[in-house]
């Protein structure tokens, strides 16, 4: 069964606007971690933000924030004030208690000038 | 200069040939991982190692082999048994046993001649 689902293969956003990238997950563990990574066209994976399952506050890192809705098992990434350099693939990932990390299929974000 | 070094950046394999992808780290991280990424898709786990001289199969280990003789090094061999090896291969490391993020190398792109 798919552990991480990213339903948006591609998204477009106007420069300086905010965009939300969706991620839902499936786990029966009580303790787990959720991660978002950015992959530019050059291929490297850049860690953006982390949310623990017991964290009560939504995680934020600069222009990135994570909209964590535990009951709905969703962990959407919000990018505020989009920049041209934000154009990339974005991957949602989850680590369960067995320490394995599972990645979603990714969303390609294109920022329009 | 700290980080994860993957080499080579591009690699070509002839039919029936084994090739080895290098991954070296100087972050002093205990855990190391190998992922495969096919075009337009997410990452799939091939092998991982939590400590020296120990490693575990991931979801797609068939046709691959690894070793972990030193903490700094986790080479991946793509054997002739892997019938469709053309892909982008990413090595990652992680510190400790908690929910630290994985850090990635720049990847190796493997193609069949």
């Amino acid at each position: 069964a798919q552990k991480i689902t990213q339903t948006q293969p591609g998204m477009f956003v106007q420069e300086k606007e905010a965009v939300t990238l969706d991620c839902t997950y499936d786990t029966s563990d009580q303790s787990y971690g959720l991660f978002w990574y950015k992959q530019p066209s050059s291929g490297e994976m850049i860690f953006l933000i982390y949310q623990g399952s017991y964290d009560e506050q939504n995680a934020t890192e600069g222009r990135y924030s994570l909209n964590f809705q535990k009951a709905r098992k969703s962990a959407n990434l919000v990018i505020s004030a989009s920049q041209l350099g934000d154009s990339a693939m974005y991957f949602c990932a989850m680590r369960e208690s067995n320490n394995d990390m599972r990645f979603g299929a990714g969303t390609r974000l294109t920022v329009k000038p | 200069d700290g980080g994860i070094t993957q080499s080579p950046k591009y690699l070509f394999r002839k039919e029936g040939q084994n090739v080895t992808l290098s991954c070296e780290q100087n972050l002093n991280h205990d855990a190391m991982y190998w992922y495969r990424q096919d075009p337009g898709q997410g990452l799939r786990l091939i092998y991982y190692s939590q400590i020296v001289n120990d490693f575990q199969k991931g979801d797609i280990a068939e046709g691959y082999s690894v070793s972990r003789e030193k903490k700094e090094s986790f080479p991946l061999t793509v054997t002739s048994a892997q019938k469709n090896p053309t892909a982008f291969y990413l090595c990652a490391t992680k510190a400790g046993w908690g929910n630290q993020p994985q850090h990635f190398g720049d990847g190796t792109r493997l193609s069949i001649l």
Side-chain angles (χ1 to χ4, degrees):
Chain A
Q2 193 72 281
K3 292 275 190 177
I4 296 283
T5 303
Q6 294 182 252
T7 57
Q8 307 152 313
M11 288 283 285
F12 291 88
V13 65
Q14 206 66 39
E15 194 178 7
K16 299 180 187 177
E17 292 186 350
V19 63
T20 298
L21 306 183
D22 295 342
C23 173
T24 57
Y25 59 91
D26 181 28
T27 182
S28 55
D29 284 3
Q30 296 301 309
S31 176
Y32 52 89
L34 297 156
F35 304 79
W36 277 92
Y37 285 85
K38 172 183 178 182
Q39 187 179 41
S41 57
S42 50
E44 74 271 28
M45 295 283 282
I46 302 167
F47 165 69
L48 297 177
I49 196 166
Y50 162 77
Q51 179 85 41
S53 57
Y54 292 119
D55 294 342
E56 294 186 355
Q57 303 269 5
N58 285 342
T60 60
E61 288 287 347
R63 293 186 300 110
Y64 304 108
S65 61
L66 204 151
N67 184 0
F68 180 45
Q69 298 187 47
K70 193 170 182 177
R72 297 179 65 180
K73 294 188 174 176
S74 76
N76 299 339
L77 177 70
V78 181
I79 305 175
S80 62
S82 296
Q83 301 172 357
L84 295 177
D86 293 336
S87 292
M89 285 289 289
Y90 288 81
F91 292 96
C92 179
M94 175 176 65
R95 179 181 293 125
E96 298 174 284
S97 55
N98 64 3
N99 224 28
D100 287 352
M101 185 176 270
R102 293 287 182 266
F103 288 80
T107 295
R108 181 172 299 281
L109 176 67
T110 303
V111 180
K112 296 180 177 180
Chain B
D1 190 22
I4 304 163
T5 302
Q6 287 189 244
S7 61
K9 194 172 178 67
Y10 299 96
L11 187 58
F12 299 92
R13 193 190 92 167
K14 293 181 181 178
E15 296 280 351
Q17 192 179 49
N18 293 356
V19 291
T20 297
L21 283 60
S22 171
C23 179
E24 303 280 330
Q25 58 112 349
N26 60 7
L27 300 170
N28 201 33
H29 287 175
D30 290 306
M32 297 187 74
Y33 306 81
W34 274 106
Y35 291 93
R36 170 181 172 139
Q37 186 179 27
D38 291 285
Q41 297 189 28
L43 279 65
R44 292 184 291 167
L45 182 65
I46 306 172
Y47 268 99
Y48 65 99
S49 168
Q50 303 280 17
I51 54 172
V52 175
N53 291 323
D54 186 51
F55 49 83
Q56 308 294 330
K57 291 182 179 180
D59 297 325
I60 55 164
E62 185 174 349
Y64 300 97
S65 66
V66 293
S67 62
R68 186 87 187 275
E69 296 175 2
K70 299 186 302 182
K71 189 175 186 178
E72 301 79 20
S73 179
F74 192 40
L76 174 74
T77 296
V78 184
T79 74
S80 57
Q82 174 47 246
K83 297 305 177 190
N84 185 21
T86 297
F88 188 54
Y89 291 86
L90 283 158
C91 176
T93 71
K94 185 176 84 70
W97 290 83
N99 263 322
Q100 285 83 14
Q102 291 183 357
H103 299 271
F104 286 82
D106 289 344
T108 293
R109 202 166 293 279
L110 175 62
S111 302
I112 291 293
L113 285 177

